[in-house]
Amino acid sequence: MIKKLAFAICLISIVSCDPSDDDGNNVTNNNFSYLPLNTNNSWDYDVKIGADSSVEGLTVSSVSGNEYTLTANPNPPSGIMTGILSSGTLRATAGKLIGNGTVDFGIQGLDNLTLEITDGILYDQNANPDTELYTTSGTSTQIIQAYDLDISYEITTVQLASVAQMNVNGTNYTDVIHSQLIINAAIGTVILVPIPLLSAQDVIVIDNYWAKDVGLIKSDTQLDYTLEDLSFLGAVLPVPQSASILTEQDLTAYSIN
């Protein structure tokens, strides 16, 4: 009798318990969105790059099934994440935001270098923290000031721990998920012999914060790199020796239909 009673209590607890597990892991819930994508939904941002600042907007311009197109104003925008979201199409399915578009590599001296994202998961509201969502790699070659630069890269997105609340521009948002987009790159060239110009390192790290039923509320992009010291060769490189630049993109207003 005691065994039967214990089994019944256990069964009831399984059926009636909260859908999250004891470790607080996310569970499947697709009844809401962290980037609502109805036609004409819009978001306005302040973008700061060092001492420079600008204002830009994102608008859902078209919807076809579960595929969406966003437009940026101005175009091209200053915010890297605004550029990614408006550079192609988005798809929302099973709690995931999936993007097809491009990323501006963003190192001074590398002209018109864009990296492709194909079916890249930008966030997964049901993923556990520290889950890798997407990875892709490729190569590109550019000739800059007579230097033949061979660039290899890897783009990765990761779901990080959620944030209970976050204040952005004086507005408090609750139920915020945090995802990250990382670009790791290496650059080689030939100066008499093949040499590494940039050893493999995380050049761009984008931290994105998405609020439930609101959208992207904050995106911080950190650009950091240091080239190899080739001064002993007497070469004048076409890319600055190092850089550390923070781009802050903060939501100021939004309209959700």
Side-chain angles (χ1 to χ4, degrees):
M1 182 65 181
I2 294 175
K3 289 183 178 180
K4 289 182 179 179
L5 180 59
F7 175 79
I9 293 172
C10 181
L11 180 61
I12 292 170
S13 67
I14 291 173
V15 172
S16 63
C17 70
D18 187 271
S20 61
D21 62 26
D22 291 338
D23 295 327
N25 294 330
N26 294 335
V27 295
T28 301
N29 192 336
N30 304 322
N31 296 325
F32 52 84
S33 173
Y34 287 87
L35 186 66
L37 290 168
N38 296 321
T39 306
N40 295 325
N41 282 2
S42 62
W43 301 265
D44 296 325
Y45 298 96
D46 277 340
V47 179
K48 297 178 182 178
I49 307 175
D52 299 327
S53 62
S54 61
V55 176
E56 60 191 37
L58 266 176
T59 303
V60 180
S61 56
S62 69
V63 178
S64 178
N66 69 340
E67 189 169 282
Y68 309 86
T69 301
L70 276 62
T71 55
N73 182 28
N75 188 23
S78 298
I80 293 181
M81 202 60 201
T82 306
I84 293 173
L85 293 172
S86 62
S87 64
T89 59
L90 298 175
R91 193 167 74 253
T93 180
K96 301 180 181 69
L97 181 67
I98 302 172
N100 291 281
T102 57
V103 186
D104 184 353
F105 192 63
I107 292 181
Q108 181 182 343
L110 298 180
D111 300 325
N112 301 315
L113 177 58
T114 55
L115 311 180
E116 295 289 333
I117 294 178
T118 303
D119 290 331
I121 302 174
L122 302 178
Y123 71 64
D124 182 351
Q125 63 197 50
N126 299 309
N128 291 328
D130 300 317
T131 299
E132 183 177 295
L133 305 177
Y134 168 78
T135 185
T136 187
S137 58
T139 59
S140 179
T141 300
Q142 283 206 352
I143 299 175
I144 307 292
Q145 298 179 16
Y147 288 96
D148 189 344
L149 303 182
D150 297 316
I151 304 157
S152 60
Y153 65 88
E154 181 178 72
I155 302 174
T156 304
T157 60
V158 181
Q159 192 72 33
L160 300 179
S162 299
V163 179
Q165 61 180 9
M166 173 175 281
N167 190 285
V168 179
N169 271 331
T171 300
N172 194 54
Y173 299 93
T174 58
D175 197 347
V176 176
I177 60 174
H178 179 193
S179 63
Q180 199 171 65
L181 187 152
I182 303 165
I183 300 176
N184 185 281
I187 303 176
T189 190
V190 176
I191 303 177
L192 300 179
V193 297
I195 57 173
L197 180 60
L198 176 73
S199 59
Q201 55 193 266
D202 291 344
V203 175
I204 295 175
V205 177
I206 307 175
D207 283 285
N208 294 314
Y209 299 88
W210 318 77
K212 177 182 173 182
D213 295 329
V214 175
L216 180 68
I217 60 171
K218 185 175 182 61
S219 180
D220 291 337
T221 300
Q222 184 66 51
L223 166 68
D224 279 306
Y225 73 86
T226 301
L227 301 182
E228 299 295 323
D229 183 4
L230 304 179
S231 58
F232 67 95
L233 294 174
V236 179
L237 300 175
V239 179
Q241 181 66 32
S242 64
S244 181
I245 301 171
L246 173 65
T247 300
E248 298 175 280
Q249 178 177 336
D250 293 342
L251 184 69
T252 57
Y254 64 94
S255 176
I256 304 298
N257 298 311

